[in-house]
Amino acid sequence: MEFLRWLFEAQIPVGGSALVLREVLGNIFGLLSALGGMRRKVWAWPVGIVGNILLLTVFLGNVFGAAAPATLWGQAGRQVMFIAVAVYGWYRWQQGRQSSTQGRAVVPGWAGNKVRLVLIGAMVAGTAALTPLFDALGSYPPVWADAWTFMGSLLATYGMARGWTEFWLIWVAVDIVGVPLLFSAGYYASAVMYLFYGFFTLTGFFVWWRAEKRERAAVRPVPATAGAVR
């Protein structure tokens, strides 16, 4: 109990203000999860869940008696979503490591044009549908930005679980909107971390892109005439 009390009350002095320790720790776990995801390691999922639980208590603000500057229902809700999708991703990658992926958790691949159109449509429609809901709940404005980061995070996490290389680009779209929102809401630790994520996700995209080309070439069938004597 003493540890939990300390965890919920601890802050890190920065200049004339302070950062909530849980916010810092949650983002550190999130970064470790992203690093594991780029390397296609199964442990990325449980590590990410720990970070999601910590950040959930942060973005709910005063619900947990915290010193958080504002309640962001979209940011809080997406932590719950992360946990649910992470369980699916954890299972899927664990199964992949035990099947035909040669010990890897997942083999990167492209989603395809039809799936990309579905993802774009879901992003736009989901943002439009969630904006009035988050507004009614009293989420920090601009509310559409909160809804955008929620939908983008949902689609990106699902894309990571499926092994779609495009999921990194969805994260870039999330960061472009999420960084200004978090700065304006006073979540400086998360904003700085998301700013870093923006560059990191671009790196992850090219890492998966190269891995997809390399591993696709490795499993490409050799023509029957390749070794024939002429």
Side-chain angles (χ1 to χ4, degrees), residues 23-161:
E23 183 182 2
V24 175
L25 291 176
N27 280 290
I28 290 174
F29 275 97
L31 175 59
L32 292 174
S33 177
L35 286 169
M38 186 169 67
R39 297 179 61 196
R40 292 177 284 158
K41 300 294 185 180
V42 175
W43 55 257
W45 295 105
V47 167
I49 289 174
V50 175
N52 300 146
I53 294 173
L54 288 169
L55 290 175
L56 173 63
T57 67
V58 172
F59 290 120
L60 286 179
N62 292 328
V63 173
F64 281 87
T71 296
L72 291 175
W73 287 103
Q75 294 289 335
R78 78 179 193 146
Q79 304 307 318
V80 178
M81 174 273 298
F82 278 149
I83 295 171
V85 180
V87 172
Y88 166 73
W90 190 355
Y91 170 79
R92 186 177 178 88
W93 281 30
Q94 184 67 37
Q95 291 296 107
R97 189 172 64 176
Q98 297 171 355
S99 60
S100 60
T101 57
Q102 300 178 343
R104 301 178 182 89
V106 65
V107 175
W110 297 104
N113 291 330
K114 290 184 179 180
V115 175
R116 289 171 192 159
L117 290 175
V118 171
L119 291 173
I120 293 172
M123 186 77 165
V124 174
T127 299
L130 289 174
T131 297
L133 172 61
F134 289 168
D135 186 42
L137 291 172
S139 193
Y140 188 83
V143 182
W144 72 265
D146 203 14
W148 174 273
T149 59
F150 179 92
M151 279 305 303
S153 300
L154 170 61
L155 296 174
T157 307
Y158 179 72
M160 176 179 169

Side-chain angles (χ1 to χ4, degrees), residues 172-183:
V172 173
V174 169
D175 293 334
I176 289 173
V177 173
V179 169
L181 173 66
L182 291 168
F183 268 121

Side-chain angles (χ1 to χ4, degrees), residues 4 205 230:
L4 290 177
F205 171 74
R230 297 182 184 277

